[in-house]
Amino acid sequence: MCTAIRKEHLFGRNLDLDYDIHQEVILIGRDHLLEFIKEPEVTKHPAILGMGMVVNGYPLLSDAMNENGLAGAGLNFPNNAVFFPYKEGKRNVSPFELLPYVLSHFSSVKEVKDFFRDSNLLNIPFSEQLPLAPLHYIFADKAESIVVESTASGLSIYDNPYDVLTNNPPFPFHISNAKRYLSLTSKYPQNKIPMIDLVPDSVGFGSIGLPGDYSSASRFIKAFYLNKFLKLSHDVDKNIVTFINALNQISFLPGLTQDKIGKDELTIYSSCMDLNDFTYSYKRLYDRSITTIKPEEKQINSDQIITL
């Protein structure tokens, strides 16, 4: 499953799976050689910080940011994601290398949009043991976010004023579905029936109708509500806690939701990237506290992939 949110200069996600793949925070140093299947290798690039796995020396990222304040994440998109053979005249990138490619080449969402207008997502897996995951993507900077979906009809790029993404159905459905919730508000409601003296029993009546189930469409609306009414402060540490607590409101806990084979869907971790400060914070399912990683300058300048 999964849910991602951009809130001002913060970006993060819940990674929801029915198993733990034991991902770790990794840093790709500025001088680390990045190779791609069809595109030229890169020897100099911004440092990249994110969560993922290093397999045979290659960083397989689930979500990450670069030091210039651009971030991205891949979210589950089964039965809709379609990737294609090599296309002449396009920039051909496989989904498993998409985050390293984008974050090593670009610094803003505008640049990413331009790239995707001339690109093709390849149907070439990392290996036989690691086939391509059916994903769609959200990319964000401090000003905006976009959603990218490769389906049977081709590659689509959507501006994302909601600054959230979940899973199926495709993004146009979520845009249309949001119209059903125009009346939601965080404010104390006012009586609109003047002939009757109606007084709310408690605070929170403005959010009546906010979905509480775990479906992708409902999580999109709840994430949108949380994101738009959430207030950040000038305290960096408080903001990280607030952001991850918001993600916790739409997380999967043991026993609450099962998949089609009867396994519990679980939020493996919740992340928060500070696009101002190049820090990666996360909280795993059974952690009592949040861990924040800020790389040292010598690590940023290295030619290595470093597990932090």
Side-chain angles (χ1 to χ4, degrees):
M1 301 299 281
C2 303
T3 304
I5 295 176
R6 182 195 79 90
K7 177 68 175 181
E8 299 178 11
H9 61 285
L10 301 180
F11 175 78
R13 61 95 58 84
N14 286 339
L15 180 74
D16 306 323
L17 292 169
D18 62 2
Y19 59 93
D20 190 347
I21 55 178
H22 304 292
Q23 294 176 308
E24 299 179 289
V25 178
I26 57 178
L27 172 73
I28 305 172
R30 290 170 179 159
D31 294 331
H32 178 74
L33 174 67
L34 284 171
E35 297 180 297
F36 307 100
I37 296 173
K38 298 296 184 181
E39 296 300 311
E41 65 185 28
V42 177
T43 56
K44 297 283 187 180
H45 54 79
I48 299 169
L49 181 65
M51 186 74 79
M53 302 182 297
V54 181
V55 181
N56 296 332
Y58 199 88
L60 301 178
L61 298 170
S62 294
D63 52 84
M65 62 179 293
N66 67 25
E67 60 181 307
N68 295 329
L70 177 67
L75 282 71
N76 202 27
F77 195 47
N79 304 317
N80 280 303
V82 176
F83 308 121
F84 296 91
Y86 179 86
K87 293 183 180 180
E88 194 68 40
K90 296 286 188 179
R91 296 168 82 170
N92 291 270
V93 180
S94 175
F96 78 81
E97 59 187 9
L98 184 61
L99 287 182
Y101 186 90
V102 168
L103 296 176
S104 64
H105 283 76
F106 309 116
S107 299
S108 70
V109 165
K110 182 181 183 303
E111 294 174 351
V112 177
K113 289 169 69 173
D114 292 340
F115 158 70
F116 276 114
R117 291 189 183 102
D118 191 36
S119 65
N120 173 52
L121 294 188
L122 286 168
N123 58 359
I124 300 177
F126 181 78
S127 67
E128 290 185 7
Q129 293 73 33
L130 291 172
L132 292 176
L135 303 176
H136 59 174
Y137 298 87
I138 178 171
F139 293 94
D141 58 24
K142 288 176 280 188
E144 60 180 329
S145 68
I146 59 171
V147 170
V148 178
E149 296 180 341
S150 183
T151 65
S153 60
L155 193 63
S156 298
I157 310 154
Y158 302 101
D159 291 328
N160 183 10
Y162 307 90
D163 285 324
V164 303
L165 183 63
T166 54
N167 312 103
N168 290 319
F171 193 64
F173 168 88
H174 294 294
I175 296 173
S176 179
N177 187 50
K179 298 174 184 178
R180 299 174 57 199
Y181 299 93
L182 290 171
S183 62
L184 292 178
T185 177
S186 64
K187 294 180 180 179
Y188 192 84
Q190 300 299 312
N191 182 14
K192 295 182 179 180
I193 309 177
M195 66 286 297
I196 303 176
D197 185 19
L198 294 176
V199 179
D201 294 319
S202 69
V203 298
F205 269 56
S207 61
I208 288 178
L210 183 67
D213 63 86
Y214 290 92
S215 67
S216 302
S218 293
R219 282 185 290 108
F220 186 98
I221 297 301
K222 189 168 185 181
F224 175 41
Y225 177 88
L226 290 167
N227 188 30
K228 291 308 175 184
F229 292 114
L230 190 69
K231 292 182 179 179
L232 299 182
S233 70
H234 297 292
D235 187 304
V236 174
D237 292 334
K238 286 182 179 179
N239 287 340
I240 291 171
V241 173
T242 298
F243 187 91
I244 289 183
N245 281 343
L247 284 169
N248 290 161
Q249 302 300 307
I250 39 182
S251 64
F252 289 83
L253 298 174
L256 298 184
T257 306
Q258 294 187 340
D259 61 20
K260 62 183 178 181
I261 62 173
K263 298 184 69 176
D264 287 349
E265 190 80 6
L266 300 173
T267 297
I268 306 301
Y269 68 82
S270 303
S271 65
C272 177
M273 291 165 252
D274 189 331
L275 304 183
N276 283 334
D277 199 33
F278 198 51
T279 60
Y280 189 100
S281 301
Y282 67 95
K283 183 178 182 295
R284 298 190 191 274
L285 176 61
Y286 296 111
D287 286 350
R288 294 187 176 183
S289 59
I290 296 169
T291 300
T292 297
I293 303 293
K294 184 173 178 61
E296 299 175 3
E297 192 64 26
K298 64 179 180 180
Q299 295 172 322
I300 292 173
N301 283 321
S302 76
D303 62 358
Q304 302 294 313
I305 297 179
I306 303 168
T307 301
L308 300 172

